[in-house]
Amino acid sequence: MNQPTSSKNKILTWQALGLMTFSSVWGFGNIVNGYANQGLKAVVSWIIMFTIYFIPYTLMVGEMGSTFKDSQGGVSSWIRSTSSAKLAYFAGWTYWICHMPYLAQKPQSMLVALGWAIFRNGSLTKMMSPLVLQSIALILFFFFLWYASRGIRSLKHIGALAGSTKVIMSFLYILLALAAPYITEAKTFTYRLDMETLMPTFDFDYMTTLAILVFAVGGCERLSPYVNNLKDPSREYPRSMIFMTIMVCVTAILGTFAMGLMFDPQNVPKDLMMNGSYYCFAKLGEYYGVGQTFVVIFALCTLIGQASTLAVSIDAPIKILLADVDEKFVPERFRKINSRGVPVTGYQLTALLVGILIIVPALGIGDMTSLYNWLMRLNAVCMPLRYLWVFYAYMMLKKHQDRFQSDYHFVKSAALGKMAGAWCFFFTAYACFMGMFPRGVAAYSPAWTFQFTLNILTPLVLFGIGVILPYLAKKERERRAQ
């Protein structure tokens, strides 16, 4: 049972928590990925996404944070309080297992950043075959797996500084890019602000990009365990969510317009998802006559930040899963912790799954740009699946709202609340499903079939393991009883 947080630990302001959540949820890469997939049409897409999905999502999280202000476990605790321990296990499992594609891409991102820091261009990923580069990525991953297993945390603090610097540089980019046509002699791309330029065509191809947008705006619940560090959690946590939402909306829309000054929205570079952030800062350096200074600083910040994120993301999610899990759902071997506080079997399973995700795709995807784009889109399929538990928890909260007290309500009506939760639940599931269809390759070609097969099998295998573990735990108990 969680104990109430003492007054000396109530040290966060709602503005500080809002900034922490913004840094955790949003990044410059989200703007780049939106533009890479939709060009300037992403402006209207962002507006639609914020209106029908992101704003209700954050306000639901605000209500649950207010309701369960003494909870330490975030979404898993919300599920346990509103439903059952078994579903809380599956929520925790989902949170952990969906990080596997995420962990597989971090070494890729580090290699891209290293190439830009050294060569000032994206040539590193073109110098070697995808299999060689992915083998190097695998070695990098195993190094950080070992590093995390040592219980070392110093890189986390360096990464926090680098992450803060990246946020500052993202705001700096938007400001300087939008100002460039007025205060420099830079030749920027000119576009028309009309319906043809901004309005998406809501066809099948457009629907396959929804997962990227959902992936970009999700995850605000990850800092919910800090709600009880606020002085007045019930009132201040919703304020922090609203504050964060406003910042995300403003930066997404202004950032997309800024990118429209640099890249023809009708002729977006194929490798913009992989190298777009660096292209942006390279062009910014040209505009203001500082050469590649911005690129090198951004690349170094990205390299350190990605390294820190990789180490922490290996360790933290599985510990969150095991911290409050019911023993009857997880075999004893999986729960075993060594003298350094490391769940050894969990680390071994992580090594196996991420190793497969790093190497196997390189055997069937011909170039590094396509491989990077595919893994990014696979992340957009898998990561949002954990958001489904947020909306399920909210529907259960509204169903049993007479059992809970809260100073803040997204909507007071139980019926409207359940409808809002159901809408976000099914919209997320639909976006993930549509994200499984590959983009950028000829439909039904061998490459398309290979990617589509992996997009289906990966989430099925990852989440299927979570179904098997309770069965193994049951068999383990039966053997002991004999």
Side-chain angles (χ1 to χ4, degrees):
M1 181 175 179
N2 297 320
Q3 298 299 323
T5 305
S6 62
S7 58
K8 68 178 181 179
N9 291 325
K10 294 182 179 291
I11 55 176
L12 277 179
T13 65
W14 63 266
Q15 296 94 333
L17 184 58
L19 285 170
M20 288 170 58
T21 309
F22 173 78
S23 300
S24 177
V25 168
W26 193 249
F28 185 57
N30 293 326
I31 300 172
V32 173
N33 292 338
Y35 193 88
N37 281 274
Q38 297 186 11
L40 273 174
K41 298 182 188 299
V43 171
V44 172
S45 294
W46 285 127
I47 294 172
I48 294 173
M49 181 64 65
F50 295 144
T51 303
I52 69 172
Y53 183 78
F54 184 53
I55 292 174
Y57 176 8
T58 56
L59 296 181
M60 289 179 203
V61 170
E63 180 173 344
M64 287 188 289
S66 176
T67 303
F68 304 107
K69 54 183 177 292
D70 294 321
S71 168
Q72 299 283 349
V75 179
S76 293
S77 295
W78 299 346
I79 294 291
R80 183 185 290 271
S81 298
T82 59
S83 189
S84 67
K86 185 173 185 178
L87 288 181
Y89 155 73
F90 282 114
W93 175 265
T94 304
Y95 184 89
W96 174 62
I97 204 68
C98 70
H99 278 77
M100 297 303 110
Y102 182 77
L103 294 176
Q105 190 170 46
K106 286 302 170 186
Q108 279 188 343
S109 300
M110 291 173 63
L111 289 175
V112 173
L114 182 64
W116 278 93
I118 296 174
F119 302 109
R120 273 70 163 175
N121 56 47
S123 62
L124 179 63
T125 55
K126 301 175 183 177
M127 294 166 57
M128 293 173 277
S129 70
L131 187 57
V132 172
L133 281 167
Q134 288 297 89
S135 297
I136 297 173
L138 183 61
I139 293 171
L140 269 176
F141 172 74
F142 283 147
F143 170 78
F144 281 98
L145 188 73
W146 169 83
Y147 186 89
S149 73
R150 308 299 294 174
I152 302 170
R153 294 293 177 268
S154 59
L155 193 61
K156 181 178 179 180
H157 303 295
I158 299 173
L161 176 62
S164 300
T165 307
K166 281 182 62 181
V167 170
I168 293 171
M169 292 197 70
S170 299
F171 278 107
L172 186 66
Y173 166 78
I174 295 172
L175 177 64
L176 294 181
L178 292 175
Y182 306 100
I183 63 177
T184 73
E185 297 181 357
K187 293 182 179 180
T188 58
F189 187 82
T190 303
Y191 50 81
R192 295 178 302 166
L193 291 177
D194 57 19
M195 295 298 289
E196 183 179 351
T197 303
L198 298 176
M199 184 59 66
T201 53
F202 300 99
D203 55 12
F204 183 85
D205 186 64
Y206 175 83
M207 296 301 173
T208 64
T209 69
L210 289 178
I212 288 288
L213 303 183
V214 170
F215 177 42
V217 300
C220 61
E221 72 284 347
R222 73 184 64 172
L223 291 182
S224 57
Y226 293 101
V227 65
N228 50 14
N229 293 120
L230 297 168
K231 291 181 179 179
D232 186 0
S234 296
R235 298 182 184 277
E236 292 184 341
Y237 187 69
R239 289 180 191 171
S240 71
M241 292 295 98
I242 294 170
F243 178 51
M244 179 273 299
T245 302
I246 293 171
M247 288 196 296
V248 170
C249 295
V250 171
T251 53
I253 294 170
L254 293 182
T256 303
F257 278 125
M259 290 196 68
L261 297 173
M262 294 183 170
F263 305 98
D264 180 355
Q266 303 301 324
N267 189 26
V268 176
K270 180 183 177 183
D271 65 340
L272 199 66
M273 288 178 71
M274 182 168 66
N275 292 312
S277 299
Y278 306 98
Y279 289 155
C280 288
F281 283 100
K283 285 181 177 287
L284 206 59
E286 293 175 10
Y287 292 169
Y288 289 92
V290 296
Q292 298 286 70
T293 303
F294 287 140
V295 169
V296 174
I297 294 173
F298 183 78
L300 290 175
C301 290
T302 300
L303 179 61
I304 297 172
Q306 296 284 9
S308 171
T309 302
L310 177 57
V312 173
S313 296
I314 288 171
D315 188 65
I318 191 166
K319 287 186 175 178
I320 291 173
L321 167 64
L322 298 178
D324 193 32
V325 71
D326 192 316
E327 295 182 359
K328 67 182 180 181
F329 301 122
V330 179
E332 182 180 3
R333 183 180 176 185
F334 195 84
R335 290 183 278 111
K336 185 178 180 180
I337 305 294
N338 69 10
S339 60
R340 296 180 183 271
V342 173
V344 178
T345 304
Y347 268 48
Q348 292 171 346
L349 183 58
T350 299
L352 175 64
L353 295 174
V354 174
I356 292 172
L357 284 172
I358 287 177
I359 294 299
V360 171
L363 302 176
I365 299 179
D367 63 273
M368 195 61 189
T369 298
S370 297
L371 182 57
Y372 185 95
N373 291 348
W374 168 77
L375 196 49
M376 176 63 74
R377 293 190 176 109
L378 180 64
N379 265 300
V381 169
C382 293
M383 287 292 272
L385 292 174
R386 61 186 174 143
Y387 312 155
L388 296 176
W389 291 107
V390 176
F391 306 127
Y392 175 80
Y394 188 74
M395 286 188 283
M396 292 299 101
L397 172 65
K398 301 311 287 187
K399 180 179 180 180
H400 305 292
Q401 67 176 6
D402 56 317
R403 291 165 41 193
F404 303 99
Q405 296 294 323
S406 175
D407 292 333
Y408 167 79
H409 297 276
F410 165 44
V411 289
K412 291 188 177 182
S413 166
L416 287 177
K418 286 187 284 187
M419 288 175 60
W423 157 252
C424 289
F425 183 98
F426 288 109
F427 183 83
T428 303
Y430 175 74
C432 291
F433 172 74
M434 294 302 296
M436 292 181 178
F437 293 92
R439 303 185 75 246
V441 292
Y444 307 111
S445 65
W448 186 95
T449 303
F450 183 76
Q451 293 185 30
F452 184 58
T453 302
L454 288 179
N455 289 346
I456 294 175
L457 288 180
T458 300
L460 287 179
V461 170
L462 293 179
F463 295 103
I465 297 172
V467 176
I468 294 172
L469 285 185
Y471 173 78
L472 296 179
K474 180 181 178 181
K475 291 295 181 182
E476 182 179 76
R477 292 194 304 273
E478 290 175 352
R479 286 195 302 271
R480 288 178 178 175
Q482 292 176 354

